[in-house]
Amino acid sequence: MAAIRNGLSRALRNRGSLGLASILPLAAGAVLASAPAALAQTEAPGGPPSQEPAASPGVSPEALAPAAKAEPKVLISEVVVKGIEGHPEQDRLEIAVYDAMATRPGTQVTRSELQNDLSAIYATGWFSDVRIQPADGPLGVQLVVTVVPNPVLTKVELEGVGAKTKMPPNLIPDTFAADYGKTLNLNTLQARIAELQKWYADQGYSLARVSGPTRVSPEGVAQLQVREGTVAGVEVQFLNKEGESTNDKGQPIRGKTKSWVVTREVSIKPGDTFNRRQLEEDIKRLYGTGLFGDVKVTLRPVAGNPGEVTIVLGIVEQSSGSLSGGLGYSQAQGVFGQVQLQDSNLLGRAWDLAVNFTYGQFGGLGDISFTDPWIKGDKFRTAFRARVFFSREVPQIFQSQNNGTINTVSDVSNDFFKAPANATAYNIQSKNNPTGTSFGSISKAEKADPSLNWFNLDNNSIALQRIGANVQFVRPLNGGNPYKRAPWNVVVGFSGQEVTPMNFSGSVMPYGMNTNNYRNGKTQVKDVICIAYNCAEQNQLVGLRVAATMNNLNDARNPTAGNFISLGTEQFFSVGPDSPSFNRLRASYTHYIPVNWLKIFKGCRPKPGQKEDCKQALAFQVTAGTNVGNLPPYEAFCLGGSNSVRGYYDCDLGVGKSFGEATLEYRFPIFSIISGEVFVDGGTSFGSQANVPGNPGGLLQKPGDGFSVGTGLIVTTPVGPLRLEVASQDFTGEWRFNLGVGWKF
């Protein structure tokens, strides 16, 4: 027994140090765990590990045979731990060694069992080097376990973090705060690395990998390696509706859309760190263009560059050309038909060109519009819009549902301002005109020229013909980042148009009169108003518009939370005697508050574990505006209608130089595609009806102030929400039914 023990002791001493990888295939020799590459700077005592077993005096070749014979057992009398004397955590590390070992004093062990003990000690993660040396003792073999503890952790550094990676500055300190000032434990370090890996995954860096430590300095600074995964480039691949990238001849499918139209919507650029969330937002923007029916994403690894991928976008284009038509009704045009020809991807550049023609019972409209949603190369994502139009309509300003209409009259003299020399000249727009025969003016004019007939009643509906064009630029306030969601947008536009007042048959008629005032077959001067500015046959309106909007609504179609603000001013400049100069100011504020009052729809009563689906809100809107300067009557504000105070017909509540409106509306779902609403509308002209030239609102006895209470149903259809409402005029028995498209706001 003594001979075996001495032989084993000599063999262990002569073997020296072996790396852990070298121990496993051996059946005899000394046992040692060497430091991994991360701890290579911490020298293990005893020199470099041996790679081959060396012969030892007194040990036969048979004793070194791996498994030819049963391993001899040696009685262990004592286990001594060395190398941690004076260490601040000596007790803790010593207990870790003893707890890891299966060998106890008084037990008999084999070489393999000692190898297992060494592996278990190293697996605790506390030590950079472990050695087991036998020594003869008075009672048997004494095992001396010499360990080299890891340094005390003082700092953790990351290598490979991208310049655009938004890592919180306190992420590393907070993650390793509990470990600083303590002996580095590799097992605990791996757990912390897993936490960092989870942070990367939660932030969308799905290709990122954190590994290490790559190095631990004697001062306790641990370095970790991060491979975040970078994007080598973005490729566009066009697919057919079956998802194939080649045609029947094996040739790549060519799309209509320019590749840069696709790639400019992708915020991830070559060299950037791949981020799944960022790519998802990019895909949403691609769908938001309305040009693509499907977008398939493939990540293709770059050969020879581990961690790099190419983003391949498989694009299925939608048909961009359309020809549509329909029938409708409005108070301004009566029953009308509409035809529209449109290409929403002109020349494959995402340009929108539309030609629209509408012809109705009371008028018509023809226009050509062009939109570039993103001027190429502009980092602010500025959009450009242009429109050329021709229209003829019956303005509701000169009509009333219950109190008659202002119809056209003709100036028989064809020179109203040049009355006979012995008669007073009249200015219809002046409030100081002589009225009646008490002043003798009209009678003197008639006596001076008995053939003079001031006006004849034409008795046609007043129509306005507009021919003009406008251009505008829309820029989000994104600070030069085209991918930033900017709630504020600024609009700058320029417009020019010529307005011609006429009768329904197309004859120019710059004068109008309330037919209720027509007496004895004659028209008096005091009953006549000008339809256009300066009683002219044409007005030229040239204006510059500046506006700003703020939108943070949670849903563009049916919001339940958020705000919408619109502020705008339009200055019209005089370019001739019949071109008015005035300014129009207008502001609007909308606010939504989510509520859950009525629970008719089953989505408002979710079962445990189900997500609530209850688009229910209390909505507020306040709108106001005013005009300053020489306002043409037809440019006054109208109150009443489906998008105003809903208990009144279009423009039946008032015609003002200024106005204010407010709405309180409660919206709630009833079925999956049907919602209900209860609302209160109110509006006022602030007493400004008389300030509109000719006072058309006053002549037609429009109240100028009022409110309505009503309810309605909204049906969601593929073309948008359809609205059916009923509302009262004040609290009277006058009710109005309204059919509209979309919510009021």
Side-chain angles (χ1 to χ4, degrees):
M1 186 66 166
I4 296 175
R5 183 172 66 247
N6 293 336
L8 178 58
S9 176
R10 286 194 302 271
L12 289 171
R13 284 195 296 267
N14 292 335
R15 287 296 299 143
S17 303
L18 286 180
L20 185 59
S22 304
I23 292 171
L24 298 180
L26 299 179
V31 274
L32 167 70
S34 64
L39 301 173
Q41 300 299 319
T42 305
E43 292 292 334
S50 303
Q51 300 301 319
E52 298 294 338
S56 303
V59 180
S60 64
E62 291 79 6
L64 298 174
K69 298 180 181 179
E71 292 186 88
K73 292 187 176 183
V74 177
L75 178 64
I76 303 301
S77 63
E78 186 180 9
V79 177
V80 179
V81 178
K82 293 185 178 182
I84 55 176
E85 295 81 1
H87 194 280
E89 295 184 280
Q90 178 177 350
D91 293 341
R92 181 192 215 183
L93 299 178
E94 192 171 35
I95 292 174
V97 173
Y98 288 136
D99 288 345
M101 296 181 65
T103 301
R104 295 290 185 268
T107 60
Q108 293 183 340
V109 297
T110 64
R111 172 191 170 91
S112 297
E113 290 172 337
L114 288 180
Q115 289 176 331
N116 293 336
D117 284 345
L118 184 141
S119 299
I121 295 171
Y122 185 75
T124 63
W126 293 108
F127 309 106
S128 61
D129 196 9
V130 181
R131 304 173 182 223
I132 297 180
Q133 298 283 345
D136 292 330
L139 301 178
V141 176
Q142 181 186 64
L143 286 183
V144 179
V145 182
T146 303
V147 295
V148 178
N150 293 329
V152 174
L153 185 64
T154 59
K155 187 178 181 181
V156 174
E157 297 177 346
L158 293 186
E159 294 180 340
V161 178
K164 295 184 179 180
T165 302
K166 298 179 180 179
M167 179 175 290
N170 61 336
L171 176 63
I172 299 301
D174 289 351
T175 302
F176 295 93
D179 305 321
Y180 286 159
K182 299 179 182 179
T183 302
L184 172 64
N185 186 289
L186 297 179
N187 296 335
T188 304
L189 183 65
Q190 293 303 313
R192 305 297 187 220
I193 291 176
E195 294 180 26
L196 292 179
Q197 184 73 53
K198 183 178 183 302
W199 179 87
Y200 267 100
D202 291 343
Q203 299 303 311
Y205 300 102
S206 53
L207 298 183
R209 296 293 181 267
V210 184
S211 61
T214 56
R215 182 180 183 274
V216 178
S217 71
E219 293 78 18
V221 178
Q223 292 183 341
L224 306 180
Q225 180 67 42
V226 181
R227 294 187 181 275
E228 294 182 332
T230 57
V231 176
V234 179
E235 292 184 7
V236 178
Q237 190 178 67
F238 291 98
L239 309 177
N240 58 22
K241 293 183 179 180
E242 288 73 32
E244 299 172 344
S245 59
T246 57
N247 56 23
D248 296 338
K249 298 180 180 180
Q251 299 172 334
I253 293 177
R254 299 182 62 183
K256 174 183 178 181
T257 307
K258 304 292 184 183
S259 295
W260 56 263
V261 172
V262 178
T263 56
R264 73 179 179 181
E265 299 290 347
V266 180
S267 62
I268 302 179
K269 303 303 179 184
D272 287 354
T273 301
F274 176 82
N275 187 288
R276 172 181 49 81
R277 290 184 180 179
Q278 187 178 356
L279 182 59
E280 289 174 354
E281 291 298 319
D282 294 341
I283 301 305
K284 288 180 182 179
R285 275 195 298 273
L286 285 172
Y287 279 115
T289 63
L291 303 178
F292 313 116
D294 195 10
V295 180
K296 301 181 183 298
V297 180
T298 304
L299 300 181
R300 187 177 65 207
V302 177
N305 294 317
E308 285 194 22
V309 296
T310 298
I311 300 175
V312 181
L313 300 176
I315 302 296
V316 179
E317 294 179 300
Q318 291 194 129
S319 176
S320 61
S322 65
L323 175 63
S324 61
L327 296 174
Y329 173 80
S330 71
Q331 281 189 258
Q333 294 183 338
V335 178
F336 65 87
Q338 183 180 36
V339 176
Q340 184 180 61
L341 178 64
Q342 182 178 16
D343 188 348
S344 59
N345 192 13
L346 184 66
L347 302 178
R349 296 173 175 265
W351 293 344
D352 187 291
L353 181 66
V355 179
N356 178 70
F357 180 74
T358 301
Y359 186 78
Q361 186 177 357
F362 303 141
L365 168 68
D367 67 1
I368 300 175
S369 62
F370 171 83
T371 301
D372 183 354
W374 185 351
I375 298 176
K376 186 178 179 181
D378 179 66
K379 63 180 181 179
F380 294 96
R381 205 182 182 95
T382 304
F384 171 77
R385 299 169 185 170
R387 178 173 176 253
V388 178
F389 61 89
F390 167 89
S391 71
R392 186 177 294 179
E393 63 178 1
V394 177
Q396 298 304 302
I397 286 178
F398 303 109
Q399 298 196 12
S400 172
Q401 186 70 20
N402 299 318
N403 300 314
T405 60
I406 296 176
N407 287 346
T408 55
V409 294
S410 60
D411 176 12
V412 178
S413 69
N414 202 31
D415 199 355
F416 174 67
F417 290 105
K418 294 182 179 180
N422 60 346
T424 302
Y426 293 90
N427 183 340
I428 293 178
Q429 292 186 331
S430 174
K431 296 181 180 179
N432 299 319
N433 284 336
T435 57
T437 58
S438 59
F439 289 91
S441 300
I442 296 178
S443 61
K444 287 183 180 180
E446 290 175 344
K447 289 179 181 179
D449 187 353
S451 65
L452 180 62
N453 187 3
W454 291 95
F455 293 100
N456 281 339
L457 180 65
D458 183 66
N459 208 25
N460 265 298
S461 296
I462 295 174
L464 288 179
Q465 176 179 287
R466 298 175 186 258
I467 301 176
N470 59 66
V471 296
Q472 65 179 17
F473 295 88
V474 182
R475 170 171 290 185
L477 298 182
N478 54 25
N481 179 3
Y483 309 108
K484 178 183 177 181
R485 288 186 175 182
W488 282 96
N489 289 271
V490 174
V491 181
V492 177
F494 180 81
S495 64
Q497 60 178 295
E498 184 174 77
V499 183
T500 303
M502 58 181 57
N503 62 13
F504 188 68
S505 63
S507 300
V508 177
M509 295 283 177
Y511 308 106
M513 190 194 82
N514 187 352
T515 55
N516 290 343
N517 294 337
Y518 186 66
R519 296 183 297 275
N520 302 322
K522 296 189 69 176
T523 303
Q524 297 189 21
V525 175
K526 68 183 182 64
D527 298 324
V528 178
I529 68 170
C530 291
I531 299 173
Y533 169 72
N534 208 24
C535 297
E537 294 185 351
Q538 282 94 25
N539 287 161
Q540 294 76 40
L541 303 183
V542 178
L544 175 66
R545 177 173 178 258
V546 178
T549 61
M550 192 282 289
N551 186 346
N552 62 1
L553 302 177
N554 63 342
D555 189 328
R557 289 193 172 185
N558 186 13
T560 59
N563 302 279
F564 182 85
I565 299 174
S566 176
L567 305 170
T569 179
E570 189 169 12
Q571 178 65 51
F572 290 89
F573 303 94
S574 177
V575 293
D578 297 328
S579 176
S581 175
F582 65 99
N583 183 271
R584 177 184 291 119
L585 295 168
R586 189 182 179 104
S588 176
Y589 172 70
T590 306
H591 179 61
Y592 296 88
I593 302 175
V595 297
N596 192 5
W597 294 343
L598 292 180
K599 300 184 179 181
I600 302 174
F601 180 51
K602 63 180 182 179
C604 300
R605 298 174 276 109
K607 297 180 180 179
Q610 291 183 341
K611 186 178 180 181
E612 184 179 75
D613 180 18
C614 188
K615 290 192 173 183
Q616 194 171 154
L618 193 63
F620 301 87
Q621 186 182 64
V622 178
T623 306
T626 188
N627 288 291
V628 180
N630 299 319
L631 177 72
Y634 51 80
E635 291 293 328
F637 292 113
C638 265
L639 285 82
S642 60
N643 292 312
S644 178
V645 181
R646 284 168 276 189
Y648 292 82
Y649 286 88
D650 289 352
C651 212
D652 244 23
L653 177 58
V655 177
K657 199 169 185 179
S658 302
F659 86 104
E661 290 181 352
T663 295
L664 171 61
E665 186 168 288
Y666 171 48
R667 304 173 179 177
F668 54 92
I670 300 176
F671 301 107
S672 59
I673 62 171
I674 299 177
S675 297
E677 62 175 358
V678 178
F679 57 83
V680 178
D681 300 323
T684 177
S685 63
F686 297 113
S688 65
Q689 288 201 120
N691 297 329
V692 177
N695 191 11
L699 291 177
L700 297 175
Q701 302 177 32
K702 298 182 180 184
D705 306 281
F707 66 91
S708 62
V709 178
T711 185
L713 294 176
I714 292 84
V715 181
T716 303
T717 69
V719 297
L722 296 180
R723 176 164 44 107
L724 177 63
E725 298 167 327
V726 58
S728 70
Q729 293 183 10
D730 301 334
F731 283 127
T732 66
E734 295 290 334
W735 292 84
R736 175 177 180 262
F737 290 92
N738 173 58
L739 179 63
V741 178
W743 298 89
K744 179 190 173 186
F745 59 89

